[in-house]
Amino acid sequence: MIILLKNDYKKEDLLTLLNYLKKIGADYDICNGKNSSIINVLNNADRVDVSFVKDLNIAVSINTSYDSLSLVKRKDGQRDTVVNVNSVKFGGKNFSLIAGPCAVESEKQIIEIAMQIKKAGANMLRGGAFKPRTSPYSFQGLGKEGIDILVKAKKETGIPIVTEIMGINQLDYFMDVDVIQIGARDMQNYELLKEVGKSKKPILLKRGFSNTVYEWLMSAEYLLSEGAKDVVLCERGIRTFETTSRTTLDLSSLPIVKSMTHLPIIVDPSHAVGKASSVKPLALAGATCGADGLMIEVHNNPPFALSDGAQAILPTELKNIVKNLNSILPIVNKNIIKA
Ligand code: PEP
Ligand code: MN
């Protein structure tokens, strides 16, 4: 919270304000400029009664828009944070491509797809072992066995792996996982955020499909406040009135998030649109809007996929997307993808 003071404020009113801030446990800095003074409330800003401060008649304005985003927010002139996972980098000039199936189905499937996506230019393999499914009767994922398969694929191909965690009790299984994904449905599972943040592992934080940018960044703040450093945000679409796509890919969030935070942001066109034929244009649009990477669902046999087959593209299609991305990336000041 930033309180801009009137030039002619009364000293006793300032003392009342400072006493009030002390009483509610809010630390502050006072910056006295040549022409004006500001009070920067550093913590517990949510406890400040704005109408009480207004009634003191001491402030020109009270800015609450960035409250509590102290670790996530981009400070004046602050550069992009570059998240580096085994040399796969997100942020700055770096653009990285995560690809793989919705779910880990078998060792054969994952090893085959890992080799194919690597050949196409992807730098990280995705695959769900613990799957958050709408129906309890749908395939729920292979669980720990799925993670063991991903680790095997990593050893065979040298490609780092990202997979979703759904509960604190699963954390022990994630020791050899390079990036822990927190899915849309768990973006506000604060106990999970705290524990995953404490693990200090790189984290991919997806946007909840009914959450605002502010809520999403506040969830990232949870991770950073617990000690996490390597956090990548993932825009994956939000619910709107539209029913022809799975969700609406909120491309507006990209430049906005970039201005609000130093953390990298990637786009997941697959879960956003839910249709394989629409993945490519949205992937290219994401890159054009300044994404630091993409996450795309790829399957070697989509009609037989155990989940999200309708949105899965083939490895050959991924190769084609990479070719087109490489025409766009130099325009947005990003390094091209080397296949
Ligand atoms: C996923 O990436 O596997 C997934 C379930 O996506 P989301 O959390 O964005 O729905
Ligand atoms: Mn999926």
Side-chain angles (χ1 to χ4, degrees), residues 80-83 89-95 258 264 292 334:
D80 288 359
T81 286
V82 175
V83 169
K89 296 178 186 159
F90 301 88
K93 287 193 71 154
N94 307 287
F95 186 94
K258 285 248 158 217
D292 297 300
K334 294 277 190 196

Side-chain angles (χ1 to χ4, degrees), residues 311-328:
Q311 67 197 34
I313 62 166
L314 288 162
T316 45
E317 292 170 312
L318 185 70
K319 212 171 165 179
N320 178 265
I321 289 178
V322 169
K323 198 172 138 229
N324 285 265
L325 277 172
N326 279 342
S327 310
I328 291 169

Side-chain angles (χ1 to χ4, degrees), residues 182 193 196-197 203 205 219-228 231:
I182 294 179
L193 294 175
V196 175
I203 300 161
L205 178 65
S219 292
E221 186 77 23
Y222 264 90
L223 299 173
L224 266 56
S225 69
E226 293 292 346
V231 174

Side-chain angles (χ1 to χ4, degrees), residues 101-106 109 113 133 139 298-312 314:
C102 182
V104 177
E105 297 171 6
S106 69
Q109 171 233 24
I113 294 176
R133 305 304 302 278
F139 177 57
V298 177
H299 198 284
N300 49 3
N301 197 357
F304 288 90
L306 294 183
S307 63
D308 283 351
Q311 67 197 34
L314 288 162

Side-chain angles (χ1 to χ4, degrees), residues 229-296:
K229 295 251 173 316
D230 302 313
V231 174
V232 178
L233 302 164
C234 179
E235 172 58 72
R236 49 80 70 225
I238 50 174
R239 284 218 166 126
T240 64
F241 54 79
E242 185 51 64
T243 55
T244 54
S245 47
R246 194 172 172 178
T247 52
T248 300
L249 179 58
D250 181 13
L251 286 172
S252 312
S253 79
L254 274 108
I256 291 169
V257 165
K258 285 248 158 217
S259 70
M260 290 175 78
T261 178
H262 53 92
L263 296 174
I265 175 170
I266 68 168
V267 167
D268 172 353
S270 309
H271 287 94
V273 72
K275 261 191 205 91
S277 58
S278 303
V279 166
K280 180 177 166 182
L282 293 182
L284 300 181
T288 309
C289 290
D292 297 300
L294 293 169
M295 175 186 256
I296 297 178

Side-chain angles (χ1 to χ4, degrees), residues 129-171:
F130 296 96
K131 291 302 307 171
R133 305 304 302 278
T134 301
S135 164
Y137 308 114
S138 300
F139 177 57
Q140 301 286 306
L142 296 180
K144 183 181 177 308
E145 188 197 343
I147 295 193
D148 294 342
I149 291 172
L150 285 168
V151 173
K152 209 161 183 191
K154 168 176 146 178
K155 284 193 182 131
E156 289 207 13
T157 60
I159 193 166
I161 52 177
V162 52
T163 190
E164 178 169 352
I165 192 167
M166 284 174 59
I168 297 168
N169 58 341
Q170 296 160 0
L171 199 53

